[in-house]
Every structure is written in structure tokens, then in C-alpha cells.
RNA sequence: UCCGGCGUAGCUCAAUGGCAGAGCGGGUGGCUGUUAACCACUAGGUUGUAGGUUCGAGUCCUACCGCCGGAGCCA
């Protein structure tokens, strides 16, 4: 009885008979030969069925196999330079688990909409495999980064009673005859947790009902948000650059094959190491005005403006101290200039846009109450949030990193929708 | 929401206002080394929907629907 192994491990079994269980990726035939490309989720290997060395039944089954049919193959691992993997299987036995019907995804090109309609099947293809594995590595490395620095994981609720930032459009749900909203950020709860545990992070899905139809937007996306007590904006940026460096270097180290599948130019990732440039909003405006003279000082940056800034540098750039007016109510004002907030955005290189948004939070009770009133937010709903400033308030800061934008940048793919297994956009709720 | 583009075979696309086609995928047959294999044959169509112009519309016009990606907003 041959040992059941995964394809990625075949090198350890050279010359031995093994059993592989998987799906037919592709088939080529030539008279008395059948070349079966078998995938099992770990790798793809070519299995050679020669009419002269198997029973007529086995050869007939090899002939019947259609694309994506499930089957169990037993054969001898043999080294072969002609094979892409370096090894192939000389088949002795083949058992059909199920003959697949006509498979919708062919070997030629398809349009995005068609592929997204078949997302449940598209995930079987090489490029999608590579992307989802890189996503996995980014998430694994993200958790590793915070876990190894003694941050406590404190997950925050998905259902929330009110808008965290007031302005953004939220998904509304009926919560036993009350209105509840799907969270757009765990931050406010993260602040409460930071006052309890010191350093914390939360990681979960967030929801935005914005009618955005660009390659950088999803209505449901994943965000990892650290929050740190006794932390100022500069220290916040220190953590952010160490964090992003760790993500990039982990993918380079552990997912190099996947980056190759995606034909990513890794030279652009190698130099992602601290220090990242940090520029004041006013410096950023000077840079933008050279190329976009119409830019009005005090405005937030548009997508084109962000690209102008990120193009100046070979690594992510952090822009800090934005005008308070364009930023959220909870951000602390710059003591040097009250018109600016102690905020920072990290812009990824190569035009991928904002991957991090963070700030030092307002820790003064009266100042925060004033902000809440200025923004016409329901005071009562924020009573608990104000409590945090009443009972042992300390300087604190944090940020949120969008997983999908980060993966798109590291993987070098244009659109965020392929970086999540089942994307949700304004026009996509199926499958 | 606004701006722009695209809707033709299962898929990707072609067709000057004048016979609706190719490649891939499917089916049948052939080949002992294929690498998106190849070769031959074959089936496959309400040209997004509704109206209009015209002797004649896939092609021109109007409306609607769907998708794409850009703006705004954001990660």
C-alpha cells in the first residue's frame, strides 16, 4: 500500500510509489500516453499514464478524466528535467472519485466579471492560489508582529449602535427593532481595551457603504488595528514602519514562489526597511503644488496627489499633521498648531495609495466633548468613550492597516478585489 | 451620485449600413514525451432589452438594464 502524500513533498519520495489525491488541472494526450496534471492544493505535478504499463481499465479511466475531475493516483515518483516541478509520477493505478462536468473556466483568457461570477472555482487557479497564500502570510506575519511584542488581541464588535466617525456611510441593519450598524473601525473600542491592557490590537472585517467603484475599494475589507497606551504620534509612526517592514520581509522570505507566479518585481520590495520618510502635511503640499498647481492648501489629498507624493520615494512615506478639519473628531490637535491634527497616513509606493491611517487620540475630556459637539454627534452614545478620559486618561495612539490594499501592493496586482477570497463590492454580492 | 468605456456562440473576440465568423472550451477520430500540446472532422446564435431611422441594422439614433474604472470618500 503506497503512502498518501502531498505533492509539495514529492522530492522526499524520489523512486518510491506514492498515492496522491486531488483534481485534474489539465490533460494532454498522445496516442498511448496520457499526461495528467494533478493538483492537490499544495502543488501541481504531471502524472504520466503509459498504455503499456497499466491495465486497460486504468488507461480508459485516464482517457475519461475531464478538467477538474477528482481522482486518486498511485505511481512512482521520478525525477525528470522536462517537468516544471522537477518530478513527475509514473502512474500505476488511477481511481476516479468524480467525473467533473464541463468546467466553465478554460485555459484561455476570461473577463473579470465572468471570473468573479465563478469565484468559487477561480480560486483553484494558480494566480489566485498565489494571492491568497500571500494574504495568509501577511495576516500571519501581522499577528506574529504584535503577539511577539506582547500586544493583547482584543476583538471588537461588528454590530455597533452608532457611527464611529459620523460622516461615513454605514450599513444599517434591523437589530430587534433597533437600528444597528456594521462597524467601520474597531478603534474606539480598541481605545477602551488599551486603557485596560496597555497595548492591544484587533483584527476583523470592517464595512463601508460608500458607493466607491475603484480598484482600491471594497464594501467589506479586513483591518488590523493596534492601539497603544502611553504612546505619542512619533512612537505610533515607529511602530507602523516596523510593522510594514515585517510584513514585506515576511512575504519575501516565506512566499517567494508565489511572488514569482505573480511576476512581482521583488527588487522594489527588498529596500522596504526603516526609516520610512516622514513628511509634514505642509511639505507634502509643497511637493504636490509643483505638479498640481491647482491644489488648495488645507484640502485633503486626492488619489492623484497621493501618487505624486509616493513617487518621490522608494519606500512607503508617512505624511503627518494633516489639517484637523479634514480628519476625524477623535484626533488630538497639534500643540504647535491647533489647526493641525496629530494624524498620519502611510502611502504605499507605486501608486497603491493609503495603506495605513492613524493618529494620536484626544485624551482631554473637555477637548473631546467639544469635538463631539462640533461634529453634532450624539453625546449620549459617546458617554462610555468620554469615560475613558475621565478615569485615568493617558496619551495614546494607534493606526489601522487595510489588509487588501497591503496585499495588492506587496503582490503587485492592480485591483484589491483579487486579494480577498470572496470580495464584496457595490455590485458584487455573489457568490 | 457624476464622468467615460463596453455589452455578438459556454469563454475571449472579429465582422466598411449589405450572406454572423475565428480561436479556445465541448463531442468524435488520430498520434509513445506533451508543456495554454498538436492535426482532422463536428455541434453550438432571439448580436443585453424596448423602441426608432433605413429597401436593408450586430453596425446609426433614443431610453432603459448590466458590467468595467475614474472622481468624490476612504484602508
Amino acid at each position: 500500500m503506497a503512502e498518501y502524500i502531498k505533492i509539495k513533498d514529492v522530492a522526499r519520495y524520489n523512486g518510491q510509489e506514492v498515492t496522491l489525491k486531488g483534481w485534474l488541472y489539465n490533460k494532454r494526450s498522445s496516442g498511448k500516453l496520457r499526461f495528467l496534471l494533478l493538483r492537490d492544493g499544495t502543488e501541481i505535478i504531471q502524472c504520466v499514464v503509459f498504455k503499456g504499463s497499466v491495465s486497460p481499465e486504468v488507461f480508459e479511466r485516464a482517457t475519461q478524466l475531464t478538467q477538474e475531475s477528482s481522482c486518486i493516483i498511485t505511481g512512482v515518483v521520478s525525477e525528470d528535467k522536462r517537468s516544471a516541478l522537477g518530478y513527475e509520477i509514473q502512474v500505476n493505478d488511477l481511481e476516479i472519485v468524480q467525473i467533473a462536468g464541463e468546467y466553465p473556466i478554460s485555459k484561455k483568457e476570461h473577463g473579470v466579471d465572468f471570473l468573479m461570477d465563478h469565484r468559487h472555482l477561480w480560486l483553484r487557479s494558480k494566480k489566485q492560489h498565489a494571492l491568497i497564500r500571500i494574504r495568509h502570510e501577511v495576516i500571519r506575519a501581522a499577528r506574529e508582529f504584535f503577539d511577539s511584542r506582547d500586544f493583547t488581541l482584543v476583538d471588537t464588535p461588528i454590530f455597533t449602535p452608532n457611527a464611529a466617525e459620523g460622516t461615513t456611510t454605514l450599513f444599517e441593519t434591523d437589530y430587534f427593532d433597533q437600528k444597528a450598524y456594521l462597524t467601520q473601525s474597531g478603534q474606539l473600542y480598541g481605545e477602551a481595551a488599551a486603557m485596560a491592557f496597555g497595548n492591544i490590537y484587533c483584527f476583523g472585517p470592517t464595512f463601508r457603504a460608500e458607493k466607491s467603484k475603484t480598484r482600491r475599494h471594497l464594501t467589506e475589507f479586513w483591518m488590523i488595528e493596534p492601539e497603544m497606551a502611553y504612546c505619542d504620534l512619533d512612537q505610533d509612526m515607529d511602530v507602523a514602519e516596523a510593522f510594514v517592514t515585517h510584513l514585506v520581509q515576511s512575504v519575501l522570505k516565506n512566499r517567494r514562489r508565489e511572488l514569482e507566479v505573480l511576476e512581482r518585481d521583488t527588487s522594489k520590495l527588498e529596500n522596504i526597511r526603516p526609516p520610512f520618510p516622514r513628511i509634514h502635511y505642509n511639505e507634502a503640499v509643497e511637493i504636490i503644488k509643483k505638479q498640481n498647481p491647482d491644489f488648495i492648501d488645507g484640502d485633503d489629498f486626492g488619489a492623484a496627489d497621493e501618487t505624486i507624493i509616493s513617487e518621490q520615494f522608494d519606500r512607503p512615506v508617512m505624511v503627518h499633521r494633516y489639517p484637523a478639519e479634514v480628519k476625524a473628531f477623535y484626533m488630538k490637535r497639534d500643540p504647535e498648531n491647533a489647526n493641525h491634527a496629530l494624524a498620519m497616513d502611510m502611502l504605499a509606493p507605486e501608486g497603491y495609495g493609503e495603506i495605513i491611517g492613524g493618529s494620536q487620540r484626544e485624551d482631554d475630556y473637555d477637548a473631546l466633548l467639544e469635538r463631539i459637539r462640533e461634529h453634532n454627534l450624539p453625546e449620549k452614545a459617546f458617554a462610555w468613550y468620554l469615560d475613558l478620559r475621565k478615569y485615568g486618561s493617558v496619551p495614546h495612539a494607534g493606526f489601522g492597516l487595510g489588509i487588501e490594499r497591503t496585499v495588492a501592493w506587496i503582490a503587485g496586482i492592480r485591483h484589491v478585489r483579487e486579494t480577498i477570497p470572496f470580495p464584496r463590492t457595490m455590485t458584487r454580492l455573489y457568490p
Side-chain angles (χ1 to χ4, degrees):
Chain A
M1 180 78 185
E3 192 180 344
Y4 167 43
I5 66 163
K6 295 292 184 184
I7 297 172
K8 70 177 170 64
D9 299 323
V10 289
R12 300 210 305 265
Y13 293 84
N14 194 19
Q16 296 179 45
E17 185 176 63
V18 298
T19 295
L20 303 172
K21 302 181 182 182
W23 298 264
L24 190 76
Y25 189 77
N26 194 10
K27 180 175 77 174
R28 292 179 283 269
S29 61
S30 174
K32 292 173 184 165
L33 282 168
R34 299 286 180 270
F35 299 98
L36 310 176
L37 273 99
L38 186 79
R39 61 168 193 88
D40 70 351
T42 68
E43 259 300 350
I44 296 173
I45 193 167
Q46 175 161 283
C47 304
V48 184
V49 187
F50 175 49
K51 198 171 187 176
S53 46
V54 296
S55 69
E57 293 76 24
V58 167
F59 193 75
E60 174 56 24
R61 281 181 227 143
T63 305
Q64 282 173 10
L65 282 180
T66 54
Q67 192 182 357
E68 287 302 323
S69 287
S70 41
C71 58
I72 299 171
I73 287 177
T74 298
V76 177
V77 178
S78 67
E79 210 166 345
D80 196 308
K81 291 189 193 73
R82 290 170 292 189
S83 138
L85 191 65
Y87 295 88
E88 54 182 34
I89 302 290
Q90 300 298 328
V91 176
N92 293 326
D93 195 16
L94 186 156
E95 184 189 325
I96 293 170
V97 179
Q98 194 234 352
I99 291 287
E102 191 179 326
Y103 194 63
I105 300 179
S106 69
K107 285 169 275 181
K108 287 271 174 149
E109 282 175 41
H110 293 284
V112 181
D113 196 45
F114 174 82
L115 288 168
M116 275 300 174
D117 277 340
H118 298 83
R119 184 61 172 170
H120 50 298
L121 303 176
W122 191 20
L123 289 172
R124 302 178 183 194
S125 71
K126 280 183 191 169
K127 188 180 165 192
Q128 299 309 310
H129 248 86
L131 278 167
I132 297 304
R133 287 220 173 98
I134 288 170
R135 176 192 174 91
H136 179 190
E137 178 61 21
V138 167
I139 292 170
R140 191 203 63 75
R143 289 188 178 281
E144 175 183 70
F145 180 87
F146 292 118
D147 292 345
S148 69
R149 283 165 176 75
D150 288 326
F151 281 60
T152 301
L153 175 68
V154 182
D155 284 320
T156 54
I158 305 286
F159 286 124
T160 59
N162 53 267
E165 299 179 23
T167 53
T168 319
T169 319
L170 299 173
F171 286 105
E172 192 180 304
T173 65
D174 175 34
Y175 194 82
F176 307 111
D177 300 328
Q178 270 192 77
K179 279 182 187 173
Y181 303 90
L182 300 186
T183 183
Q184 59 177 338
S185 164
Q187 185 209 310
L188 303 192
Y189 296 97
E191 289 183 53
M195 296 307 126
F197 294 90
N199 291 341
I200 68 97
Y201 70 101
C202 66
F203 178 53
T206 51
F207 307 88
R208 306 275 166 95
E210 296 276 329
K211 295 189 173 177
S212 303
K213 295 195 286 185
T214 80
R215 63 173 188 269
R216 299 181 305 281
H217 287 89
L218 298 168
T219 52
E220 177 182 314
F221 65 96
W222 287 66
M223 189 153 67
I224 190 158
E225 297 173 274
E227 191 70 32
M228 295 159 282
Y230 292 103
C231 180
D232 64 18
L233 185 67
D234 286 337
Q235 291 165 324
D236 198 31
M237 288 194 279
D238 290 344
V239 174
E241 73 181 3
F243 178 54
V244 170
T245 298
H246 182 70
L247 300 184
V248 172
Q249 296 303 324
S250 294
V251 173
L252 280 173
K253 187 179 163 206
N254 300 320
R255 288 288 177 250
R256 201 164 272 278
R257 246 186 80 77
E258 281 77 8
L259 291 171
E260 277 168 26
V261 167
L262 297 169
E263 298 175 327
R264 176 64 161 123
D265 179 1
T266 52
S267 69
K268 292 199 166 122
L269 298 176
E270 303 286 354
N271 53 0
I272 307 298
R273 292 187 186 280
F276 292 180
R278 300 179 187 189
I279 60 174
H280 191 283
Y281 171 84
N282 293 338
E283 294 174 66
V285 169
E286 290 309 308
I287 293 168
I288 292 166
K289 276 185 171 169
K290 281 179 194 162
Q291 288 183 48
N292 176 12
D294 297 334
F295 184 84
I296 297 162
D297 205 340
D299 275 6
D300 205 353
F301 304 143
D305 303 318
E306 285 182 357
T307 303
I308 291 171
I309 297 165
S310 67
E311 274 172 352
Q312 312 298 312
F313 306 98
D314 65 346
R315 59 195 75 193
V317 51
M318 291 185 280
V319 180
H320 55 84
R321 293 178 172 79
Y322 283 79
E325 211 173 291
V326 301
K327 288 292 178 184
F329 77 94
Y330 52 72
M331 294 182 180
K332 193 173 179 65
R333 299 297 175 100
D334 184 359
E336 313 258 309
N337 181 345
N339 292 326
H340 289 254
L342 292 176
M344 65 97 168
D345 284 351
M346 186 188 290
L347 308 177
E350 301 170 67
Y352 281 92
E354 187 182 338
I355 54 170
I356 280 180
S359 66
Q360 185 173 335
R361 325 303 189 187
E362 183 52 73
D363 50 27
D364 181 76
Y365 183 91
D366 295 326
L368 183 61
L369 183 60
E370 195 185 322
R371 294 289 119 70
I372 287 171
R373 287 175 177 162
E374 274 170 17
H375 285 78
N376 293 316
L377 296 170
E379 230 172 285
K380 212 175 161 186
F382 284 94
W384 69 268
Y385 189 62
L386 282 159
D387 267 0
L388 303 175
R389 278 72 182 171
K390 236 193 256 179
Y391 305 109
S393 190
V394 300
H396 62 290
F399 60 84
L401 173 131
I403 294 294
E404 289 76 16
R405 284 189 186 175
T406 304
V407 173
W409 162 51
I410 295 175
I413 61 155
R414 209 177 128 70
H415 205 300
V416 293
R417 70 188 152 202
E418 288 176 47
T419 65
I420 185 166
F422 294 95
R424 292 291 172 255
T425 68
M426 215 180 122
T427 55
R428 170 70 54 192
L429 195 55
Y430 174 94

PDB file of all heavy atoms in Angstrom, chain A residues 3 24-25 67 92 120 128-129 146 151 211 229 266 283 295 297 344 358 368 371 404 419:
ATOM      1  N   GLU A   3       2.138   5.113   0.297  1.00  0.00           N
ATOM      2  CA  GLU A   3       1.861   6.165   1.276  1.00  0.00           C
ATOM      3  C   GLU A   3       1.174   7.354   0.613  1.00  0.00           C
ATOM      4  O   GLU A   3       1.547   7.771  -0.487  1.00  0.00           O
ATOM      5  CB  GLU A   3       3.175   6.624   1.922  1.00  0.00           C
ATOM      6  CG  GLU A   3       2.963   7.506   3.136  1.00  0.00           C
ATOM      7  CD  GLU A   3       4.293   7.958   3.762  1.00  0.00           C
ATOM      8  OE1 GLU A   3       5.342   7.361   3.449  1.00  0.00           O
ATOM      9  OE2 GLU A   3       4.251   8.914   4.552  1.00  0.00           O
ATOM     10  N   LEU A  24      -7.917  17.101 -11.451  1.00  0.00           N
ATOM     11  CA  LEU A  24      -7.201  17.196 -12.718  1.00  0.00           C
ATOM     12  C   LEU A  24      -7.135  18.655 -13.163  1.00  0.00           C
ATOM     13  O   LEU A  24      -8.153  19.264 -13.491  1.00  0.00           O
ATOM     14  CB  LEU A  24      -7.895  16.352 -13.796  1.00  0.00           C
ATOM     15  CG  LEU A  24      -7.069  16.215 -15.070  1.00  0.00           C
ATOM     16  CD1 LEU A  24      -5.935  15.225 -14.851  1.00  0.00           C
ATOM     17  CD2 LEU A  24      -7.931  15.807 -16.240  1.00  0.00           C
ATOM     18  N   TYR A  25      -5.928  19.209 -13.195  1.00  0.00           N
ATOM     19  CA  TYR A  25      -5.741  20.606 -13.579  1.00  0.00           C
ATOM     20  C   TYR A  25      -5.797  20.754 -15.096  1.00  0.00           C
ATOM     21  O   TYR A  25      -6.380  21.687 -15.629  1.00  0.00           O
ATOM     22  CB  TYR A  25      -4.403  21.102 -13.032  1.00  0.00           C
ATOM     23  CG  TYR A  25      -4.190  22.585 -13.176  1.00  0.00           C
ATOM     24  CD1 TYR A  25      -4.819  23.474 -12.322  1.00  0.00           C
ATOM     25  CD2 TYR A  25      -3.349  23.100 -14.177  1.00  0.00           C
ATOM     26  CE1 TYR A  25      -4.631  24.829 -12.442  1.00  0.00           C
ATOM     27  CE2 TYR A  25      -3.158  24.461 -14.292  1.00  0.00           C
ATOM     28  CZ  TYR A  25      -3.797  25.323 -13.426  1.00  0.00           C
ATOM     29  OH  TYR A  25      -3.611  26.677 -13.550  1.00  0.00           O
ATOM     30  N   GLN A  67     -11.363  18.062 -17.130  1.00  0.00           N
ATOM     31  CA  GLN A  67     -10.755  19.115 -16.308  1.00  0.00           C
ATOM     32  C   GLN A  67     -11.496  19.240 -14.971  1.00  0.00           C
ATOM     33  O   GLN A  67     -12.713  19.309 -14.941  1.00  0.00           O
ATOM     34  CB  GLN A  67     -10.812  20.444 -17.068  1.00  0.00           C
ATOM     35  CG  GLN A  67      -9.956  21.520 -16.440  1.00  0.00           C
ATOM     36  CD  GLN A  67     -10.066  22.852 -17.185  1.00  0.00           C
ATOM     37  OE1 GLN A  67     -10.730  22.962 -18.205  1.00  0.00           O
ATOM     38  NE2 GLN A  67      -9.393  23.867 -16.667  1.00  0.00           N
ATOM     39  N   ASN A  92       0.708   3.938 -11.862  1.00  0.00           N
ATOM     40  CA  ASN A  92       0.401   2.505 -11.842  1.00  0.00           C
ATOM     41  C   ASN A  92      -1.102   2.282 -11.704  1.00  0.00           C
ATOM     42  O   ASN A  92      -1.648   1.341 -12.243  1.00  0.00           O
ATOM     43  CB  ASN A  92       1.112   1.815 -10.670  1.00  0.00           C
ATOM     44  CG  ASN A  92       2.625   1.828 -10.864  1.00  0.00           C
ATOM     45  OD1 ASN A  92       3.102   1.748 -11.998  1.00  0.00           O
ATOM     46  ND2 ASN A  92       3.355   1.971  -9.779  1.00  0.00           N
ATOM     47  N   HIS A 120     -15.887  30.967  -6.865  1.00  0.00           N
ATOM     48  CA  HIS A 120     -15.769  29.712  -6.119  1.00  0.00           C
ATOM     49  C   HIS A 120     -14.918  28.688  -6.862  1.00  0.00           C
ATOM     50  O   HIS A 120     -14.360  27.779  -6.247  1.00  0.00           O
ATOM     51  CB  HIS A 120     -17.164  29.146  -5.830  1.00  0.00           C
ATOM     52  CG  HIS A 120     -18.039  29.080  -7.039  1.00  0.00           C
ATOM     53  ND1 HIS A 120     -18.425  30.202  -7.751  1.00  0.00           N
ATOM     54  CD2 HIS A 120     -18.586  28.023  -7.679  1.00  0.00           C
ATOM     55  CE1 HIS A 120     -19.185  29.819  -8.771  1.00  0.00           C
ATOM     56  NE2 HIS A 120     -19.291  28.520  -8.761  1.00  0.00           N
ATOM     57  N   GLN A 128      -4.593  32.881  -8.390  1.00  0.00           N
ATOM     58  CA  GLN A 128      -5.427  33.124  -7.219  1.00  0.00           C
ATOM     59  C   GLN A 128      -4.873  32.398  -5.996  1.00  0.00           C
ATOM     60  O   GLN A 128      -4.922  32.899  -4.879  1.00  0.00           O
ATOM     61  CB  GLN A 128      -6.873  32.692  -7.501  1.00  0.00           C
ATOM     62  CG  GLN A 128      -7.494  33.459  -8.652  1.00  0.00           C
ATOM     63  CD  GLN A 128      -7.349  34.954  -8.501  1.00  0.00           C
ATOM     64  OE1 GLN A 128      -7.663  35.516  -7.462  1.00  0.00           O
ATOM     65  NE2 GLN A 128      -6.838  35.623  -9.520  1.00  0.00           N
ATOM     66  N   HIS A 129      -4.318  31.211  -6.239  1.00  0.00           N
ATOM     67  CA  HIS A 129      -3.633  30.485  -5.177  1.00  0.00           C
ATOM     68  C   HIS A 129      -2.526  31.327  -4.570  1.00  0.00           C
ATOM     69  O   HIS A 129      -2.399  31.459  -3.367  1.00  0.00           O
ATOM     70  CB  HIS A 129      -2.997  29.218  -5.765  1.00  0.00           C
ATOM     71  CG  HIS A 129      -3.630  27.972  -5.288  1.00  0.00           C
ATOM     72  ND1 HIS A 129      -4.734  27.442  -5.900  1.00  0.00           N
ATOM     73  CD2 HIS A 129      -3.328  27.171  -4.253  1.00  0.00           C
ATOM     74  CE1 HIS A 129      -5.065  26.344  -5.261  1.00  0.00           C
ATOM     75  NE2 HIS A 129      -4.244  26.160  -4.259  1.00  0.00           N
ATOM     76  N   PHE A 146       2.577  41.594  16.412  1.00  0.00           N
ATOM     77  CA  PHE A 146       2.001  42.119  17.652  1.00  0.00           C
ATOM     78  C   PHE A 146       2.102  41.120  18.804  1.00  0.00           C
ATOM     79  O   PHE A 146       2.374  41.494  19.941  1.00  0.00           O
ATOM     80  CB  PHE A 146       0.550  42.552  17.420  1.00  0.00           C
ATOM     81  CG  PHE A 146       0.460  43.758  16.522  1.00  0.00           C
ATOM     82  CD1 PHE A 146      -0.199  43.686  15.305  1.00  0.00           C
ATOM     83  CD2 PHE A 146       1.051  44.960  16.892  1.00  0.00           C
ATOM     84  CE1 PHE A 146      -0.262  44.798  14.472  1.00  0.00           C
ATOM     85  CE2 PHE A 146       0.996  46.077  16.062  1.00  0.00           C
ATOM     86  CZ  PHE A 146       0.333  45.991  14.846  1.00  0.00           C
ATOM     87  N   PHE A 151       1.425  42.509  22.600  1.00  0.00           N
ATOM     88  CA  PHE A 151       0.123  43.144  22.421  1.00  0.00           C
ATOM     89  C   PHE A 151      -0.932  42.080  22.709  1.00  0.00           C
ATOM     90  O   PHE A 151      -0.758  40.913  22.344  1.00  0.00           O
ATOM     91  CB  PHE A 151      -0.059  43.637  20.981  1.00  0.00           C
ATOM     92  CG  PHE A 151       0.645  44.937  20.679  1.00  0.00           C
ATOM     93  CD1 PHE A 151       2.019  45.059  20.810  1.00  0.00           C
ATOM     94  CD2 PHE A 151      -0.079  46.044  20.227  1.00  0.00           C
ATOM     95  CE1 PHE A 151       2.672  46.263  20.517  1.00  0.00           C
ATOM     96  CE2 PHE A 151       0.563  47.242  19.937  1.00  0.00           C
ATOM     97  CZ  PHE A 151       1.939  47.351  20.078  1.00  0.00           C
ATOM     98  N   LYS A 211     -20.375  54.388  -2.022  1.00  0.00           N
ATOM     99  CA  LYS A 211     -20.588  53.933  -3.401  1.00  0.00           C
ATOM    100  C   LYS A 211     -19.326  54.138  -4.232  1.00  0.00           C
ATOM    101  O   LYS A 211     -19.333  54.833  -5.238  1.00  0.00           O
ATOM    102  CB  LYS A 211     -21.795  54.647  -3.997  1.00  0.00           C
ATOM    103  CG  LYS A 211     -23.075  54.261  -3.268  1.00  0.00           C
ATOM    104  CD  LYS A 211     -24.326  54.759  -3.937  1.00  0.00           C
ATOM    105  CE  LYS A 211     -25.541  54.182  -3.222  1.00  0.00           C
ATOM    106  NZ  LYS A 211     -26.800  54.687  -3.785  1.00  0.00           N
ATOM    107  N   ALA A 229      -1.380  52.501  24.754  1.00  0.00           N
ATOM    108  CA  ALA A 229      -1.431  53.485  25.834  1.00  0.00           C
ATOM    109  C   ALA A 229      -0.029  54.049  26.052  1.00  0.00           C
ATOM    110  O   ALA A 229       0.968  53.370  25.781  1.00  0.00           O
ATOM    111  CB  ALA A 229      -1.947  52.831  27.106  1.00  0.00           C
ATOM    112  N   THR A 266      10.478  41.966  -7.323  1.00  0.00           N
ATOM    113  CA  THR A 266      10.764  41.989  -5.884  1.00  0.00           C
ATOM    114  C   THR A 266      11.853  42.991  -5.513  1.00  0.00           C
ATOM    115  O   THR A 266      12.008  43.312  -4.340  1.00  0.00           O
ATOM    116  CB  THR A 266      11.176  40.589  -5.388  1.00  0.00           C
ATOM    117  OG1 THR A 266      12.228  40.103  -6.216  1.00  0.00           O
ATOM    118  CG2 THR A 266      10.009  39.632  -5.414  1.00  0.00           C
ATOM    119  N   GLU A 283       4.900  70.106   3.964  1.00  0.00           N
ATOM    120  CA  GLU A 283       5.929  69.684   2.995  1.00  0.00           C
ATOM    121  C   GLU A 283       5.280  68.938   1.836  1.00  0.00           C
ATOM    122  O   GLU A 283       5.658  69.108   0.674  1.00  0.00           O
ATOM    123  CB  GLU A 283       6.939  68.748   3.648  1.00  0.00           C
ATOM    124  CG  GLU A 283       7.804  69.346   4.736  1.00  0.00           C
ATOM    125  CD  GLU A 283       8.650  68.259   5.381  1.00  0.00           C
ATOM    126  OE1 GLU A 283       9.517  67.691   4.698  1.00  0.00           O
ATOM    127  OE2 GLU A 283       8.413  67.957   6.583  1.00  0.00           O
ATOM    128  N   PHE A 295      -3.839  72.660  -6.546  1.00  0.00           N
ATOM    129  CA  PHE A 295      -4.104  72.136  -5.216  1.00  0.00           C
ATOM    130  C   PHE A 295      -4.273  73.274  -4.209  1.00  0.00           C
ATOM    131  O   PHE A 295      -3.495  74.226  -4.181  1.00  0.00           O
ATOM    132  CB  PHE A 295      -2.968  71.212  -4.752  1.00  0.00           C
ATOM    133  CG  PHE A 295      -3.245  70.559  -3.428  1.00  0.00           C
ATOM    134  CD1 PHE A 295      -4.006  69.406  -3.359  1.00  0.00           C
ATOM    135  CD2 PHE A 295      -2.787  71.126  -2.236  1.00  0.00           C
ATOM    136  CE1 PHE A 295      -4.288  68.812  -2.132  1.00  0.00           C
ATOM    137  CE2 PHE A 295      -3.068  70.552  -1.014  1.00  0.00           C
ATOM    138  CZ  PHE A 295      -3.829  69.381  -0.962  1.00  0.00           C
ATOM    139  N   ASP A 297      -4.225  74.590  -0.482  1.00  0.00           N
ATOM    140  CA  ASP A 297      -3.655  74.338   0.833  1.00  0.00           C
ATOM    141  C   ASP A 297      -4.781  74.142   1.848  1.00  0.00           C
ATOM    142  O   ASP A 297      -5.705  74.944   1.907  1.00  0.00           O
ATOM    143  CB  ASP A 297      -2.799  75.549   1.236  1.00  0.00           C
ATOM    144  CG  ASP A 297      -1.729  75.154   2.235  1.00  0.00           C
ATOM    145  OD1 ASP A 297      -1.889  74.106   2.872  1.00  0.00           O
ATOM    146  OD2 ASP A 297      -0.744  75.898   2.356  1.00  0.00           O
ATOM    147  N   MET A 344      -1.577  60.685  10.982  1.00  0.00           N
ATOM    148  CA  MET A 344      -0.603  60.253   9.973  1.00  0.00           C
ATOM    149  C   MET A 344      -1.232  59.234   9.045  1.00  0.00           C
ATOM    150  O   MET A 344      -2.059  58.424   9.445  1.00  0.00           O
ATOM    151  CB  MET A 344       0.640  59.676  10.653  1.00  0.00           C
ATOM    152  CG  MET A 344       0.389  58.414  11.436  1.00  0.00           C
ATOM    153  SD  MET A 344       0.801  56.937  10.466  1.00  0.00           S
ATOM    154  CE  MET A 344       0.770  55.679  11.737  1.00  0.00           C
ATOM    155  N   GLY A 358      -3.674  56.632  10.828  1.00  0.00           N
ATOM    156  CA  GLY A 358      -3.550  56.560  12.284  1.00  0.00           C
ATOM    157  C   GLY A 358      -3.473  57.938  12.899  1.00  0.00           C
ATOM    158  O   GLY A 358      -3.468  58.949  12.195  1.00  0.00           O
ATOM    159  N   LEU A 368     -12.339  66.727  23.982  1.00  0.00           N
ATOM    160  CA  LEU A 368     -13.066  65.690  23.243  1.00  0.00           C
ATOM    161  C   LEU A 368     -14.566  65.992  23.210  1.00  0.00           C
ATOM    162  O   LEU A 368     -15.214  65.850  22.158  1.00  0.00           O
ATOM    163  CB  LEU A 368     -12.819  64.313  23.869  1.00  0.00           C
ATOM    164  CG  LEU A 368     -13.467  63.131  23.137  1.00  0.00           C
ATOM    165  CD1 LEU A 368     -12.931  63.003  21.713  1.00  0.00           C
ATOM    166  CD2 LEU A 368     -13.232  61.831  23.886  1.00  0.00           C
ATOM    167  N   ARG A 371     -15.251  68.545  20.643  1.00  0.00           N
ATOM    168  CA  ARG A 371     -15.186  67.968  19.290  1.00  0.00           C
ATOM    169  C   ARG A 371     -16.489  67.234  18.945  1.00  0.00           C
ATOM    170  O   ARG A 371     -17.014  67.362  17.853  1.00  0.00           O
ATOM    171  CB  ARG A 371     -14.035  66.960  19.172  1.00  0.00           C
ATOM    172  CG  ARG A 371     -12.653  67.493  19.290  1.00  0.00           C
ATOM    173  CD  ARG A 371     -12.249  68.309  18.075  1.00  0.00           C
ATOM    174  NE  ARG A 371     -11.963  69.676  18.486  1.00  0.00           N
ATOM    175  CZ  ARG A 371     -10.899  70.024  19.210  1.00  0.00           C
ATOM    176  NH1 ARG A 371     -10.011  69.142  19.579  1.00  0.00           N
ATOM    177  NH2 ARG A 371     -10.718  71.271  19.567  1.00  0.00           N
ATOM    178  N   GLU A 404      -6.242  44.228   2.438  1.00  0.00           N
ATOM    179  CA  GLU A 404      -6.345  44.024   0.988  1.00  0.00           C
ATOM    180  C   GLU A 404      -5.451  44.975   0.197  1.00  0.00           C
ATOM    181  O   GLU A 404      -4.810  44.579  -0.772  1.00  0.00           O
ATOM    182  CB  GLU A 404      -7.800  44.149   0.528  1.00  0.00           C
ATOM    183  CG  GLU A 404      -8.673  42.973   0.971  1.00  0.00           C
ATOM    184  CD  GLU A 404      -9.053  43.040   2.444  1.00  0.00           C
ATOM    185  OE1 GLU A 404      -8.903  44.123   3.062  1.00  0.00           O
ATOM    186  OE2 GLU A 404      -9.505  42.008   2.992  1.00  0.00           O
ATOM    187  N   THR A 419      -7.538  40.090  -3.844  1.00  0.00           N
ATOM    188  CA  THR A 419      -6.736  39.794  -2.654  1.00  0.00           C
ATOM    189  C   THR A 419      -7.568  39.246  -1.508  1.00  0.00           C
ATOM    190  O   THR A 419      -7.046  38.950  -0.444  1.00  0.00           O
ATOM    191  CB  THR A 419      -6.012  41.056  -2.137  1.00  0.00           C
ATOM    192  OG1 THR A 419      -6.998  42.002  -1.693  1.00  0.00           O
ATOM    193  CG2 THR A 419      -5.159  41.682  -3.214  1.00  0.00           C
TER     194      THR A 419
END
